[in-house]
Amino acid sequence: MNIRVLGCHGSQLPNFNTTSFLIGQNVLVDAGTITAVLSLKEQLMIDYIFITHAHLDHVRDIAFLADNICHQHRKKPLVIVSTKGIIDAIHRHLFNNVIWPDFSKIPNPRAPVIKFQIIKPGRRQKIGDLQVRAIDLHHVVETIGYVLEEKENAVIFLGDTGPTEEAWKIAGKTERLKAIFVETSLPDGLKDIADISGHLTPLTLAEELKKLTEVNPRIYLYHMKPNYRETIRKEVVAIKDRKIHIIEDGQIIRI
Ligand SMILES: [Zn+2]
Ligand SMILES: [Zn+2]
């Protein structure tokens, strides 16, 4: 499994993009950064986008991707995958013909540019070439993570989340689990804000990782607010009992 980090931050500054991971050539997890990084040819190859939640740093580039691939003679629609609640929020608040055109009906409702596909947490299903399972998380809005499995490997993308239980239990039972991508948005000095806004700091991350007893995947840290990146990096180094990899925009990770 090849994972290209198009963006891995919780906000935007020059050289720091919002969250989006390209899996192989045709699957994205989240859509914070697509169109400023991928060529049009690469954009046309995307078949599925797994969305963790409706916050703008995770969905905004669906809008520009849909616009770019419209009238490009694709045979299949671009499929946006998430729960019913998250899909409804994206449809109602982004593709609502006010903020942006409703590309699920353009150029016509029978052959639209984008199609929404609903996934229910807990149930494992085949989507494209991957086995996919959604996991409920704890953020300020409805949010899910994804277990993605191919033949030899499984990886977990946890979306934005504060402390949670179920996700770590599922991780512990996932066979051939090679990596977990987990957020740490804010430094420990802002733990109160992190707790209220459903995010982790290095301290709460360390507590979360203690829940992961049965498996030992690589831990990839992302979704830092860019202005706190260095503080978070120093605080994460102090977590001695586990090696944590802080990822960067543009990085390619081979699983
Ligand atoms: Zn976010
Ligand atoms: Zn969020």
Side-chain angles (χ1 to χ4, degrees):
M1 193 184 284
N2 240 22
I3 300 168
R4 182 172 162 194
V5 183
L6 306 184
C8 62
H9 292 88
S11 187
Q12 189 175 49
L13 278 176
N15 303 317
F16 297 98
N17 289 325
T18 49
T19 295
S20 194
F21 299 98
L22 179 63
I23 319 291
Q25 291 184 315
N26 70 331
V27 172
L28 287 166
V29 175
D30 277 338
T33 299
I34 306 170
T35 49
V37 174
L38 295 183
S39 67
L40 180 59
K41 196 177 160 207
E42 289 170 320
Q43 292 175 36
L44 284 163
M45 292 168 87
I46 307 295
D47 292 319
Y48 299 97
I49 308 181
F50 301 117
I51 296 292
T52 60
H53 65 304
H55 276 163
L56 201 58
D57 54 324
H58 302 259
V59 302
R60 63 172 200 179
D61 270 9
I62 309 172
F64 305 120
L65 179 61
D67 202 24
N68 289 348
I69 67 177
C70 191
H71 307 299
Q72 292 284 330
H73 309 293
R74 273 170 59 100
K75 292 197 176 68
K76 297 181 287 186
L78 167 68
V79 181
I80 311 298
V81 180
S82 202
T83 64
K84 183 169 188 313
I86 296 165
I87 293 283
D88 283 350
I90 295 167
H91 204 170
R92 193 177 321 130
H93 299 296
L94 181 57
F95 293 98
N96 58 5
N97 288 323
V98 178
I99 300 294
W100 206 246
D102 182 0
F103 278 97
S104 69
K105 299 190 173 59
I106 294 171
N108 67 70
R110 279 167 288 104
V113 174
I114 64 172
K115 200 180 109 184
F116 296 116
Q117 180 175 338
I118 288 165
I119 189 168
K120 285 188 178 165
R123 200 184 299 168
R124 195 163 167 264
Q125 64 184 90
K126 191 157 191 288
I127 301 178
D129 296 328
L130 296 167
Q131 292 289 342
V132 183
R133 178 179 178 179
I135 318 169
D136 279 317
L137 296 170
H138 283 123
H139 192 35
V140 278
V141 292
E142 181 177 352
T143 300
I144 55 173
Y146 290 95
V147 184
L148 302 183
E149 293 173 70
E150 53 173 25
K151 276 162 269 149
E152 299 300 320
N153 303 306
V155 298
I156 293 180
F157 290 89
L158 297 181
D160 292 11
T161 191
T164 186
E165 300 297 331
E166 186 68 10
W168 300 110
K169 278 187 202 148
I170 291 168
K173 293 191 181 80
T174 301
E175 288 174 26
R176 298 180 293 277
L177 180 63
K178 300 291 172 20
I180 298 181
F181 291 77
V182 58
E183 74 129 276
T184 293
S185 300
L186 293 166
D188 288 327
L190 296 175
K191 184 175 172 301
D192 288 354
I193 293 168
D195 288 347
I196 294 166
S197 58
H199 287 300
L200 297 175
T201 72
L203 271 178
T204 42
L205 171 74
E207 290 304 309
E208 290 300 284
L209 292 177
K210 286 178 189 162
K211 299 172 187 171
L212 197 61
T213 51
E214 294 146 87
V215 289
N216 192 23
R218 273 183 272 167
I219 303 296
Y220 291 110
L221 205 75
Y222 79 106
H223 202 270
M224 285 153 285
K225 301 290 177 183
N227 40 338
Y228 299 117
R229 189 179 161 96
E230 277 317 302
T231 314
I232 293 169
R233 179 187 289 280
K234 284 178 196 148
E235 290 172 348
V236 165
V237 169
I239 303 175
K240 292 290 181 207
D241 53 339
R242 200 185 272 268
K243 176 117 181 75
I244 294 165
H245 305 269
I246 298 181
I247 61 172
E248 292 175 9
D249 294 4
Q251 190 174 346
I252 292 173
I253 297 163
R254 290 187 180 83
I255 304 287

Short mmCIF file of all heavy atoms in Angstrom, two decimals, residues 13-73:
data_model
loop_
_atom_site.label_atom_id
_atom_site.label_comp_id
_atom_site.label_asym_id
_atom_site.label_seq_id
_atom_site.Cartn_x
_atom_site.Cartn_y
_atom_site.Cartn_z
N LEU A 13 -1.14 27.13 6.38
CA LEU A 13 -0.15 28.19 6.28
C LEU A 13 0.68 27.85 5.05
O LEU A 13 0.62 26.70 4.58
CB LEU A 13 0.74 28.23 7.53
CG LEU A 13 0.22 28.95 8.77
CD1 LEU A 13 1.20 28.80 9.93
CD2 LEU A 13 -0.02 30.43 8.50
N PRO A 14 1.48 28.80 4.53
CA PRO A 14 2.33 28.42 3.39
C PRO A 14 3.16 27.17 3.72
O PRO A 14 3.76 27.07 4.80
CB PRO A 14 3.23 29.66 3.22
CG PRO A 14 2.37 30.78 3.68
CD PRO A 14 1.59 30.23 4.85
N ASN A 15 3.13 26.19 2.82
CA ASN A 15 3.82 24.90 2.97
C ASN A 15 3.18 23.94 3.98
O ASN A 15 3.74 22.88 4.27
CB ASN A 15 5.30 25.06 3.32
CG ASN A 15 6.02 25.90 2.27
OD1 ASN A 15 5.81 25.71 1.08
ND2 ASN A 15 6.81 26.84 2.73
N PHE A 16 2.04 24.30 4.53
CA PHE A 16 1.32 23.40 5.43
C PHE A 16 -0.13 23.28 4.94
O PHE A 16 -0.89 24.25 5.03
CB PHE A 16 1.35 23.93 6.87
CG PHE A 16 2.74 24.00 7.44
CD1 PHE A 16 3.43 25.20 7.44
CD2 PHE A 16 3.36 22.86 7.96
CE1 PHE A 16 4.71 25.28 7.95
CE2 PHE A 16 4.64 22.93 8.46
CZ PHE A 16 5.32 24.14 8.46
N ASN A 17 -0.45 22.10 4.43
CA ASN A 17 -1.78 21.91 3.84
C ASN A 17 -2.72 21.13 4.76
O ASN A 17 -2.26 20.36 5.61
CB ASN A 17 -1.65 21.14 2.52
CG ASN A 17 -1.03 21.98 1.43
OD1 ASN A 17 -1.26 23.19 1.36
ND2 ASN A 17 -0.24 21.35 0.58
N THR A 18 -4.01 21.31 4.51
CA THR A 18 -5.01 20.59 5.30
C THR A 18 -5.12 19.13 4.83
O THR A 18 -4.61 18.76 3.78
CB THR A 18 -6.37 21.31 5.24
OG1 THR A 18 -6.67 21.62 3.88
CG2 THR A 18 -6.33 22.60 6.02
N THR A 19 -5.80 18.32 5.60
CA THR A 19 -5.64 16.86 5.56
C THR A 19 -6.20 16.15 4.34
O THR A 19 -7.37 16.33 3.98
CB THR A 19 -6.30 16.28 6.83
OG1 THR A 19 -5.56 16.74 7.95
CG2 THR A 19 -6.30 14.77 6.81
N SER A 20 -5.36 15.32 3.73
CA SER A 20 -5.77 14.45 2.63
C SER A 20 -4.67 13.43 2.36
O SER A 20 -3.50 13.79 2.25
CB SER A 20 -6.03 15.30 1.38
OG SER A 20 -6.73 14.55 0.42
N PHE A 21 -5.05 12.16 2.29
CA PHE A 21 -4.10 11.08 2.00
C PHE A 21 -4.52 10.37 0.72
O PHE A 21 -5.69 10.00 0.58
CB PHE A 21 -4.10 10.04 3.14
CG PHE A 21 -3.71 10.59 4.47
CD1 PHE A 21 -4.68 10.96 5.40
CD2 PHE A 21 -2.38 10.73 4.82
CE1 PHE A 21 -4.32 11.46 6.65
CE2 PHE A 21 -2.00 11.24 6.06
CZ PHE A 21 -2.98 11.60 6.98
N LEU A 22 -3.57 10.19 -0.19
CA LEU A 22 -3.86 9.44 -1.42
C LEU A 22 -3.36 8.00 -1.24
O LEU A 22 -2.18 7.77 -1.01
CB LEU A 22 -3.14 10.11 -2.60
CG LEU A 22 -3.31 9.45 -3.98
CD1 LEU A 22 -4.77 9.47 -4.44
CD2 LEU A 22 -2.43 10.16 -5.02
N ILE A 23 -4.28 7.04 -1.36
CA ILE A 23 -3.95 5.62 -1.21
C ILE A 23 -3.87 5.03 -2.61
O ILE A 23 -4.89 4.98 -3.32
CB ILE A 23 -5.04 4.85 -0.42
CG1 ILE A 23 -5.57 5.67 0.78
CG2 ILE A 23 -4.55 3.46 -0.02
CD1 ILE A 23 -4.60 5.86 1.88
N GLY A 24 -2.69 4.57 -3.02
CA GLY A 24 -2.53 4.13 -4.40
C GLY A 24 -2.79 5.32 -5.31
O GLY A 24 -2.31 6.42 -5.08
N GLN A 25 -3.58 5.06 -6.37
CA GLN A 25 -3.85 6.16 -7.31
C GLN A 25 -5.29 6.64 -7.31
O GLN A 25 -5.59 7.70 -7.85
CB GLN A 25 -3.51 5.69 -8.73
CG GLN A 25 -2.01 5.49 -8.92
CD GLN A 25 -1.68 5.13 -10.34
OE1 GLN A 25 -2.35 4.27 -10.94
NE2 GLN A 25 -0.66 5.74 -10.90
N ASN A 26 -6.19 5.82 -6.72
CA ASN A 26 -7.60 6.14 -6.94
C ASN A 26 -8.44 6.33 -5.68
O ASN A 26 -9.65 6.50 -5.78
CB ASN A 26 -8.25 5.05 -7.82
CG ASN A 26 -8.41 3.74 -7.08
OD1 ASN A 26 -7.62 3.43 -6.19
ND2 ASN A 26 -9.43 2.99 -7.44
N VAL A 27 -7.80 6.29 -4.50
CA VAL A 27 -8.57 6.44 -3.26
C VAL A 27 -7.97 7.56 -2.42
O VAL A 27 -6.76 7.64 -2.25
CB VAL A 27 -8.55 5.12 -2.44
CG1 VAL A 27 -9.17 5.33 -1.07
CG2 VAL A 27 -9.28 4.01 -3.19
N LEU A 28 -8.85 8.41 -1.90
CA LEU A 28 -8.41 9.44 -0.96
C LEU A 28 -9.07 9.24 0.38
O LEU A 28 -10.23 8.82 0.44
CB LEU A 28 -8.80 10.84 -1.46
CG LEU A 28 -8.02 11.42 -2.64
CD1 LEU A 28 -8.77 12.63 -3.20
CD2 LEU A 28 -6.62 11.83 -2.22
N VAL A 29 -8.34 9.49 1.45
CA VAL A 29 -8.95 9.66 2.76
C VAL A 29 -8.92 11.15 3.05
O VAL A 29 -7.86 11.75 3.14
CB VAL A 29 -8.19 8.88 3.85
CG1 VAL A 29 -8.78 9.17 5.23
CG2 VAL A 29 -8.23 7.38 3.57
N ASP A 30 -10.10 11.74 3.13
CA ASP A 30 -10.31 13.17 3.34
C ASP A 30 -9.87 14.01 2.13
O ASP A 30 -9.13 13.55 1.27
CB ASP A 30 -9.68 13.67 4.64
CG ASP A 30 -10.61 13.40 5.83
OD1 ASP A 30 -11.82 13.25 5.61
OD2 ASP A 30 -10.12 13.35 6.97
N ALA A 31 -10.40 15.21 2.11
CA ALA A 31 -10.28 16.04 0.90
C ALA A 31 -9.89 17.48 1.22
O ALA A 31 -10.36 18.42 0.62
CB ALA A 31 -11.60 16.00 0.14
N GLY A 32 -8.98 17.63 2.21
CA GLY A 32 -8.54 18.98 2.57
C GLY A 32 -7.63 19.60 1.53
O GLY A 32 -7.63 20.82 1.33
N THR A 33 -6.81 18.75 0.88
CA THR A 33 -5.85 19.25 -0.12
C THR A 33 -5.77 18.27 -1.28
O THR A 33 -5.24 17.17 -1.11
CB THR A 33 -4.45 19.40 0.50
OG1 THR A 33 -4.53 20.33 1.57
CG2 THR A 33 -3.44 19.91 -0.53
N ILE A 34 -6.33 18.64 -2.40
CA ILE A 34 -6.24 17.77 -3.58
C ILE A 34 -5.76 18.59 -4.77
O ILE A 34 -4.74 18.31 -5.40
CB ILE A 34 -7.61 17.15 -3.94
CG1 ILE A 34 -8.22 16.41 -2.75
CG2 ILE A 34 -7.46 16.19 -5.14
CD1 ILE A 34 -9.66 15.99 -2.95
N THR A 35 -6.51 19.63 -5.08
CA THR A 35 -6.36 20.28 -6.38
C THR A 35 -5.14 21.19 -6.48
O THR A 35 -4.71 21.49 -7.59
CB THR A 35 -7.65 21.06 -6.70
OG1 THR A 35 -8.00 21.87 -5.57
CG2 THR A 35 -8.78 20.12 -7.00
N ALA A 36 -4.56 21.59 -5.34
CA ALA A 36 -3.33 22.40 -5.40
C ALA A 36 -2.10 21.51 -5.54
O ALA A 36 -1.00 22.01 -5.78
CB ALA A 36 -3.22 23.27 -4.14
N VAL A 37 -2.27 20.19 -5.38
CA VAL A 37 -1.12 19.27 -5.35
C VAL A 37 -1.15 18.29 -6.52
O VAL A 37 -0.12 18.05 -7.17
CB VAL A 37 -1.09 18.51 -4.00
CG1 VAL A 37 -0.01 17.45 -4.01
CG2 VAL A 37 -0.86 19.48 -2.84
N LEU A 38 -2.30 17.70 -6.81
CA LEU A 38 -2.38 16.70 -7.87
C LEU A 38 -2.60 17.36 -9.23
O LEU A 38 -3.35 18.33 -9.33
CB LEU A 38 -3.52 15.71 -7.61
CG LEU A 38 -3.42 14.82 -6.38
CD1 LEU A 38 -4.61 13.85 -6.33
CD2 LEU A 38 -2.11 14.04 -6.35
N SER A 39 -1.97 16.79 -10.28
CA SER A 39 -2.22 17.27 -11.64
C SER A 39 -3.66 16.90 -12.04
O SER A 39 -4.27 16.03 -11.41
CB SER A 39 -1.24 16.62 -12.60
OG SER A 39 -1.50 15.23 -12.68
N LEU A 40 -4.15 17.51 -13.10
CA LEU A 40 -5.50 17.17 -13.56
C LEU A 40 -5.58 15.69 -13.92
O LEU A 40 -6.58 15.03 -13.62
CB LEU A 40 -5.90 18.04 -14.77
CG LEU A 40 -7.30 17.77 -15.32
CD1 LEU A 40 -8.38 17.99 -14.26
CD2 LEU A 40 -7.59 18.64 -16.55
N LYS A 41 -4.52 15.16 -14.52
CA LYS A 41 -4.49 13.74 -14.88
C LYS A 41 -4.63 12.87 -13.62
O LYS A 41 -5.39 11.90 -13.60
CB LYS A 41 -3.16 13.43 -15.59
CG LYS A 41 -3.15 12.13 -16.33
CD LYS A 41 -1.83 11.95 -17.07
CE LYS A 41 -1.63 10.48 -17.38
NZ LYS A 41 -0.24 10.11 -17.50
N GLU A 42 -3.92 13.26 -12.57
CA GLU A 42 -4.02 12.50 -11.30
C GLU A 42 -5.40 12.68 -10.67
O GLU A 42 -5.96 11.74 -10.11
CB GLU A 42 -2.93 12.97 -10.33
CG GLU A 42 -1.53 12.56 -10.73
CD GLU A 42 -0.44 13.23 -9.90
OE1 GLU A 42 -0.57 14.45 -9.58
OE2 GLU A 42 0.54 12.54 -9.59
N GLN A 43 -5.96 13.88 -10.79
CA GLN A 43 -7.29 14.13 -10.22
C GLN A 43 -8.35 13.27 -10.91
O GLN A 43 -9.27 12.77 -10.28
CB GLN A 43 -7.65 15.61 -10.35
CG GLN A 43 -6.81 16.52 -9.47
CD GLN A 43 -7.09 18.00 -9.70
OE1 GLN A 43 -8.23 18.39 -9.93
NE2 GLN A 43 -6.05 18.81 -9.62
N LEU A 44 -8.17 13.07 -12.21
CA LEU A 44 -9.16 12.28 -12.98
C LEU A 44 -9.11 10.80 -12.60
O LEU A 44 -10.04 10.05 -12.90
CB LEU A 44 -8.91 12.45 -14.48
CG LEU A 44 -9.40 13.78 -15.05
CD1 LEU A 44 -8.77 14.06 -16.41
CD2 LEU A 44 -10.93 13.80 -15.15
N MET A 45 -8.04 10.36 -11.96
CA MET A 45 -7.92 8.95 -11.58
C MET A 45 -8.61 8.63 -10.25
O MET A 45 -8.76 7.47 -9.89
CB MET A 45 -6.44 8.56 -11.50
CG MET A 45 -5.78 8.56 -12.87
SD MET A 45 -4.00 8.45 -12.74
CE MET A 45 -3.83 6.69 -12.70
N ILE A 46 -9.03 9.64 -9.51
CA ILE A 46 -9.65 9.40 -8.21
C ILE A 46 -11.05 8.80 -8.40
O ILE A 46 -11.89 9.34 -9.10
CB ILE A 46 -9.80 10.72 -7.40
CG1 ILE A 46 -8.47 11.48 -7.29
CG2 ILE A 46 -10.40 10.44 -6.02
CD1 ILE A 46 -7.40 10.78 -6.53
N ASP A 47 -11.28 7.66 -7.76
CA ASP A 47 -12.60 7.02 -7.81
C ASP A 47 -13.39 7.19 -6.51
O ASP A 47 -14.62 7.26 -6.54
CB ASP A 47 -12.45 5.51 -8.10
CG ASP A 47 -11.92 5.24 -9.49
OD1 ASP A 47 -12.38 5.93 -10.43
OD2 ASP A 47 -11.05 4.37 -9.64
N TYR A 48 -12.69 7.15 -5.37
CA TYR A 48 -13.37 7.18 -4.07
C TYR A 48 -12.70 8.18 -3.14
O TYR A 48 -11.47 8.28 -3.10
CB TYR A 48 -13.30 5.80 -3.38
CG TYR A 48 -13.97 4.71 -4.17
CD1 TYR A 48 -13.21 3.87 -5.00
CD2 TYR A 48 -15.34 4.50 -4.10
CE1 TYR A 48 -13.81 2.88 -5.74
CE2 TYR A 48 -15.95 3.50 -4.83
CZ TYR A 48 -15.19 2.69 -5.65
OH TYR A 48 -15.78 1.71 -6.38
N ILE A 49 -13.52 8.89 -2.37
CA ILE A 49 -12.99 9.70 -1.26
C ILE A 49 -13.72 9.28 0.01
O ILE A 49 -14.94 9.40 0.12
CB ILE A 49 -13.19 11.21 -1.47
CG1 ILE A 49 -12.66 11.66 -2.84
CG2 ILE A 49 -12.48 11.99 -0.36
CD1 ILE A 49 -12.81 13.16 -3.11
N PHE A 50 -12.96 8.75 0.98
CA PHE A 50 -13.51 8.39 2.28
C PHE A 50 -13.40 9.62 3.18
O PHE A 50 -12.29 10.08 3.48
CB PHE A 50 -12.74 7.22 2.91
CG PHE A 50 -12.76 5.99 2.07
CD1 PHE A 50 -11.58 5.45 1.55
CD2 PHE A 50 -13.95 5.35 1.78
CE1 PHE A 50 -11.60 4.31 0.77
CE2 PHE A 50 -13.97 4.20 0.99
CZ PHE A 50 -12.81 3.68 0.48
N ILE A 51 -14.54 10.13 3.61
CA ILE A 51 -14.57 11.36 4.40
C ILE A 51 -14.75 11.03 5.88
O ILE A 51 -15.67 10.29 6.24
CB ILE A 51 -15.71 12.28 3.90
CG1 ILE A 51 -15.45 12.72 2.44
CG2 ILE A 51 -15.89 13.48 4.82
CD1 ILE A 51 -14.28 13.66 2.25
N THR A 52 -13.90 11.61 6.73
CA THR A 52 -14.00 11.34 8.17
C THR A 52 -15.07 12.21 8.84
O THR A 52 -15.74 11.76 9.76
CB THR A 52 -12.66 11.59 8.89
OG1 THR A 52 -12.28 12.98 8.71
CG2 THR A 52 -11.56 10.67 8.36
N HIS A 53 -15.20 13.46 8.39
CA HIS A 53 -16.25 14.33 8.94
C HIS A 53 -16.36 15.58 8.07
O HIS A 53 -15.56 15.79 7.15
CB HIS A 53 -16.01 14.68 10.41
CG HIS A 53 -14.78 15.48 10.71
ND1 HIS A 53 -13.51 15.09 10.35
CD2 HIS A 53 -14.62 16.67 11.37
CE1 HIS A 53 -12.63 15.98 10.77
NE2 HIS A 53 -13.28 16.97 11.38
N ALA A 54 -17.36 16.39 8.37
CA ALA A 54 -17.72 17.47 7.44
C ALA A 54 -16.96 18.77 7.67
O ALA A 54 -17.20 19.75 6.97
CB ALA A 54 -19.23 17.74 7.52
N HIS A 55 -16.05 18.82 8.62
CA HIS A 55 -15.28 20.06 8.82
C HIS A 55 -14.51 20.43 7.55
O HIS A 55 -14.01 19.56 6.83
CB HIS A 55 -14.32 19.92 10.00
CG HIS A 55 -14.98 20.19 11.33
ND1 HIS A 55 -14.45 19.80 12.53
CD2 HIS A 55 -16.15 20.83 11.63
CE1 HIS A 55 -15.24 20.20 13.52
NE2 HIS A 55 -16.28 20.82 12.99
N LEU A 56 -14.38 21.75 7.37
CA LEU A 56 -13.87 22.28 6.10
C LEU A 56 -12.45 21.80 5.76
O LEU A 56 -12.12 21.58 4.59
CB LEU A 56 -13.90 23.81 6.16
CG LEU A 56 -13.89 24.56 4.83
CD1 LEU A 56 -15.05 24.14 3.95
CD2 LEU A 56 -13.92 26.06 5.07
N ASP A 57 -11.61 21.63 6.79
CA ASP A 57 -10.22 21.20 6.53
C ASP A 57 -10.15 19.75 6.03
O ASP A 57 -9.08 19.27 5.69
CB ASP A 57 -9.32 21.40 7.77
CG ASP A 57 -9.84 20.75 9.03
OD1 ASP A 57 -11.06 20.72 9.22
OD2 ASP A 57 -9.02 20.25 9.82
N HIS A 58 -11.30 19.08 5.95
CA HIS A 58 -11.35 17.69 5.47
C HIS A 58 -12.20 17.50 4.21
O HIS A 58 -12.21 16.43 3.64
CB HIS A 58 -11.87 16.77 6.58
CG HIS A 58 -11.03 16.83 7.82
ND1 HIS A 58 -10.10 15.87 8.13
CD2 HIS A 58 -10.94 17.79 8.78
CE1 HIS A 58 -9.47 16.23 9.26
NE2 HIS A 58 -9.97 17.38 9.66
N VAL A 59 -12.95 18.53 3.83
CA VAL A 59 -13.87 18.35 2.69
C VAL A 59 -13.73 19.40 1.58
O VAL A 59 -14.26 19.22 0.49
CB VAL A 59 -15.37 18.36 3.14
CG1 VAL A 59 -15.62 17.27 4.16
CG2 VAL A 59 -15.81 19.72 3.66
N ARG A 60 -13.02 20.48 1.83
CA ARG A 60 -13.16 21.64 0.93
C ARG A 60 -12.76 21.33 -0.52
O ARG A 60 -13.36 21.87 -1.45
CB ARG A 60 -12.36 22.83 1.44
CG ARG A 60 -10.88 22.56 1.49
CD ARG A 60 -10.10 23.80 1.82
NE ARG A 60 -8.74 23.57 1.38
CZ ARG A 60 -7.78 24.46 1.48
NH1 ARG A 60 -8.03 25.65 1.99
NH2 ARG A 60 -6.57 24.19 1.05
N ASP A 61 -11.78 20.46 -0.74
CA ASP A 61 -11.33 20.26 -2.12
C ASP A 61 -12.20 19.29 -2.92
O ASP A 61 -11.96 19.12 -4.12
CB ASP A 61 -9.86 19.81 -2.17
CG ASP A 61 -8.92 21.02 -2.24
OD1 ASP A 61 -9.40 22.16 -2.08
OD2 ASP A 61 -7.71 20.82 -2.45
N ILE A 62 -13.22 18.69 -2.29
CA ILE A 62 -14.20 17.96 -3.11
C ILE A 62 -14.82 18.95 -4.09
O ILE A 62 -15.09 18.64 -5.24
CB ILE A 62 -15.34 17.33 -2.28
CG1 ILE A 62 -14.84 16.51 -1.11
CG2 ILE A 62 -16.22 16.45 -3.18
CD1 ILE A 62 -15.99 16.06 -0.17
N ALA A 63 -15.02 20.19 -3.60
CA ALA A 63 -15.65 21.22 -4.43
C ALA A 63 -14.85 21.49 -5.70
O ALA A 63 -15.39 21.48 -6.81
CB ALA A 63 -15.81 22.51 -3.60
N PHE A 64 -13.54 21.72 -5.55
CA PHE A 64 -12.72 22.08 -6.71
C PHE A 64 -12.42 20.86 -7.58
O PHE A 64 -12.31 20.97 -8.80
CB PHE A 64 -11.43 22.77 -6.25
CG PHE A 64 -11.72 23.96 -5.38
CD1 PHE A 64 -11.26 24.04 -4.08
CD2 PHE A 64 -12.51 25.00 -5.87
CE1 PHE A 64 -11.56 25.12 -3.28
CE2 PHE A 64 -12.81 26.09 -5.07
CZ PHE A 64 -12.34 26.16 -3.77
N LEU A 65 -12.32 19.67 -6.93
CA LEU A 65 -12.11 18.44 -7.71
C LEU A 65 -13.32 18.20 -8.60
O LEU A 65 -13.18 17.90 -9.79
CB LEU A 65 -11.88 17.25 -6.76
CG LEU A 65 -11.67 15.89 -7.43
CD1 LEU A 65 -10.45 15.90 -8.34
CD2 LEU A 65 -11.54 14.79 -6.37
N ALA A 66 -14.51 18.33 -8.03
CA ALA A 66 -15.74 18.11 -8.82
C ALA A 66 -15.78 19.08 -10.00
O ALA A 66 -16.10 18.69 -11.13
CB ALA A 66 -16.97 18.30 -7.93
N ASP A 67 -15.43 20.33 -9.75
CA ASP A 67 -15.43 21.33 -10.81
C ASP A 67 -14.41 20.97 -11.90
O ASP A 67 -14.71 21.03 -13.10
CB ASP A 67 -15.07 22.69 -10.19
CG ASP A 67 -15.53 23.85 -11.04
OD1 ASP A 67 -16.49 23.67 -11.82
OD2 ASP A 67 -14.93 24.93 -10.94
N ASN A 68 -13.22 20.54 -11.49
CA ASN A 68 -12.16 20.22 -12.46
C ASN A 68 -12.50 19.01 -13.33
O ASN A 68 -12.11 18.97 -14.50
CB ASN A 68 -10.84 19.93 -11.72
CG ASN A 68 -10.23 21.18 -11.12
OD1 ASN A 68 -10.65 22.29 -11.42
ND2 ASN A 68 -9.25 21.00 -10.25
N ILE A 69 -13.17 18.00 -12.76
CA ILE A 69 -13.39 16.76 -13.52
C ILE A 69 -14.72 16.76 -14.28
O ILE A 69 -14.98 15.85 -15.06
CB ILE A 69 -13.28 15.50 -12.62
CG1 ILE A 69 -14.42 15.46 -11.59
CG2 ILE A 69 -11.92 15.43 -11.95
CD1 ILE A 69 -14.40 14.19 -10.74
N CYS A 70 -15.53 17.78 -14.04
CA CYS A 70 -16.79 17.90 -14.78
C CYS A 70 -16.48 18.11 -16.27
O CYS A 70 -15.52 18.79 -16.62
CB CYS A 70 -17.57 19.10 -14.23
SG CYS A 70 -19.25 19.20 -14.80
N HIS A 71 -17.25 17.50 -17.13
CA HIS A 71 -17.08 17.61 -18.58
C HIS A 71 -15.73 17.07 -19.07
O HIS A 71 -15.21 17.49 -20.10
CB HIS A 71 -17.23 19.06 -19.07
CG HIS A 71 -18.52 19.69 -18.60
ND1 HIS A 71 -19.75 19.19 -18.95
CD2 HIS A 71 -18.75 20.75 -17.79
CE1 HIS A 71 -20.69 19.92 -18.38
NE2 HIS A 71 -20.12 20.88 -17.67
N GLN A 72 -15.15 16.13 -18.30
CA GLN A 72 -13.87 15.51 -18.73
C GLN A 72 -14.11 14.08 -19.23
O GLN A 72 -13.16 13.31 -19.33
CB GLN A 72 -12.87 15.51 -17.58
CG GLN A 72 -12.38 16.90 -17.18
CD GLN A 72 -11.37 17.48 -18.16
OE1 GLN A 72 -10.62 16.76 -18.80
NE2 GLN A 72 -11.39 18.80 -18.30
N HIS A 73 -15.37 13.74 -19.45
CA HIS A 73 -15.75 12.45 -20.04
C HIS A 73 -15.30 11.26 -19.20
O HIS A 73 -14.84 10.26 -19.72
CB HIS A 73 -15.21 12.33 -21.47
CG HIS A 73 -15.56 13.51 -22.32
ND1 HIS A 73 -16.87 13.79 -22.68
CD2 HIS A 73 -14.80 14.50 -22.83
CE1 HIS A 73 -16.89 14.91 -23.39
NE2 HIS A 73 -15.65 15.36 -23.49
#
